[in-house]
Amino acid sequence: MSTFPRNPDLHCHSTASDGWLPPAEVVRRAHANGVDLLALTDHDTLAGLDEASAEAEVLGVRLVPGVEISVTFASETVHIVGLGVDRHDAALNVGLAALREGRQQRAQRMGEALAGIGLPGVYEGALRFAQNPEMVGRAHLARQIVASGHMPDVGTVFRHYLAKGKPGYVEHRWARLEDAVGWIRGAGGVAVIAHPARYRLDDIGMEHLFDRFVACGGEGVEVVSGAHSDDEVRRYAELARRRGLLASRASDFHGAGESRIDLGACPPLPDGLTPVWTRL
Ligand code: AMP
Ligand code: MN
Ligand code: MN
Ligand code: MN
C-alpha cells in the first residue's frame, strides 16, 4: 500500500505574492511540519517556484508547481488554483502578466479611495510589504494600515476597509473563468476551485460556478481548506462526490500571524473522495 503522500498541502503563499516567508522558507517550514507533497500557489505569479523547487530538492520534499489565479465570475472574485503547471508555458505566463498589470493599477485606486476617507499614503506604504509593485494586493495595504497604528490586525482592516462594499474596496475585473482554466490546462495542470465556502454565492450561484468550471475543463475542488469550518468541509465533500470532482487539501498558509492553520496542519480528506494528488 502506498504511504505517499502522508501529509499533502496543496495551496500556500510566499513573498512572491502576499505570504510573509520567502519561497525557500515556506518549503523549510512545510518540511519541518511533516509535509511531503507541497504546492506553492502564489497569487497570479510563478515567480517563487524556482527558489521553492531548489529548496524542496535539498530537503526531499516533493514540490508541485502551482498558482492561484484571480477570476471574476458573476461579479464575485473567485480563485482558481492550478496544480502541476509548466512554469515556462507561454500562454500561462502571458495571462498572468496581464493580471499583474491590472493588480498594480487596482492597488493605486484603492490607495486613492483610502486617502479620500482620511488614510493617506497607504499604497506607497504597502509597497514596502510587497516584493514588487505589480504584486501589491489588499493584504499589503492591510499590513500598512496596521503598521500605521490605525487598526489592530489585518482581519479588522478587511472588515472595516477592504472587504467588498467597504470604502477602500474598488471593483476590478480579473481573468475570465474559462481563460484561467484554459491557461492551467494548457500548461499541463489540474484546475481546482479554491476555498469555495468563501464566495458570496447562493446555492444557485454556486452550482452555476461549478457547472461552468466543469464545462471548461476544471477538475477539482478544495474540500479541506484552512478557510473552511468542519461543516463547510462536509458540504464540499458532498459536492465533490456528487460531481465526481477531485478533492484537494490545502492550508492556504500566508504566515504565522495571518493564518488560522499552519502548513500541513489541515484535517485529513473525508472518506469516499478521489484525492487530487492521484493526478500529480
Ligand atoms: P487581493 O487578491 O489583493 O484581492 O487579496 C486577497 C487576499 O487578501 C487573500 O488571498 C488573503 O490573503 C487576504 N484576505 C482576504 N480577505 C481577508 C480577510 N477577511 N482577512 C485577512 N486577509 C484577507
Ligand atoms: Mn492571499
Ligand atoms: Mn484565495
Ligand atoms: Mn491563497
Side-chain angles (χ1 to χ4, degrees):
M1 216 182 104
S2 164
T3 55
F4 178 85
R6 280 177 196 284
N7 190 354
D9 189 337
L10 297 177
H11 178 162
C12 68
H13 297 272
S14 75
T15 48
S17 64
D18 59 6
W20 281 97
L21 302 177
E25 278 184 48
V26 172
V27 175
R28 283 197 284 277
R29 186 181 182 101
H31 179 251
N33 289 358
V35 173
D36 52 357
L37 181 69
L38 177 72
L40 179 66
T41 57
D42 277 304
H43 298 284
D44 307 326
T45 182
L46 307 169
L49 292 175
D50 284 344
E51 182 185 318
S53 298
E55 187 65 14
E57 190 146 330
V58 170
L59 295 174
V61 173
R62 209 173 123 209
L63 195 280
V64 175
V67 64
E68 182 176 18
I69 303 181
S70 310
V71 160
T72 300
F73 173 83
S75 51
E76 177 72 3
T77 299
V78 167
H79 287 170
I80 304 296
V81 162
L83 297 175
V85 294
D86 170 6
R87 77 198 66 169
H88 303 296
D89 182 83
L92 174 62
N93 277 280
V94 168
L96 296 178
L99 280 180
R100 291 194 297 269
E101 204 169 296
R103 185 172 268 285
Q104 180 171 2
Q105 291 162 1
R106 180 189 72 142
Q108 281 168 331
R109 285 193 291 139
M110 287 185 155
E112 287 160 18
L114 290 164
I117 58 155
L119 292 177
V122 177
Y123 170 72
E124 293 73 15
L127 289 174
R128 65 198 170 90
F129 290 99
Q131 204 164 61
N132 77 57
E134 61 178 15
M135 284 319 303
V136 176
R138 287 185 291 163
H140 306 105
L141 299 170
R143 288 169 197 166
Q144 169 58 23
I145 293 172
V146 172
S148 66
H150 283 283
M151 289 272 144
D153 56 68
V154 161
T156 309
V157 176
F158 270 87
R159 276 197 301 284
H160 282 82
Y161 295 120
L162 296 178
K164 190 168 185 165
K166 298 300 172 185
Y169 184 86
V170 305
E171 291 295 337
H172 185 72
R173 187 150 291 279
W174 299 108
R176 293 170 61 239
L177 179 65
E178 286 76 6
D179 289 340
V181 173
W183 298 334
I184 291 166
R185 285 172 64 86
V190 178
V192 173
I193 295 188
H195 44 65
R198 295 282 66 80
Y199 308 133
R200 298 195 307 184
L201 296 169
D202 59 16
D203 288 354
I204 291 169
M206 191 66 77
E207 292 300 325
H208 185 203
L209 167 63
F210 276 87
D211 286 344
R212 285 254 312 263
F213 176 70
V214 168
C216 67
E219 296 172 89
V221 56
E222 286 180 358
V223 170
V224 171
S225 163
H228 284 177
S229 68
D230 293 349
D231 275 353
E232 290 164 345
V233 169
R234 279 189 286 274
R235 172 171 178 197
Y236 288 97
E238 193 45 49
L239 185 149
R241 287 187 204 103
R242 170 163 55 84
R243 287 185 174 263
L245 290 168
L246 301 165
S248 191
R249 174 181 189 253
S251 64
D252 201 3
F253 182 77
H254 283 72
E258 262 177 48
S259 296
R260 215 160 45 83
I261 289 196
D262 204 339
L263 289 161
C266 287
L269 276 186
D271 291 335
L273 295 167
T274 307
V276 69
W277 49 87
T278 58
R279 289 282 309 281
L280 300 174

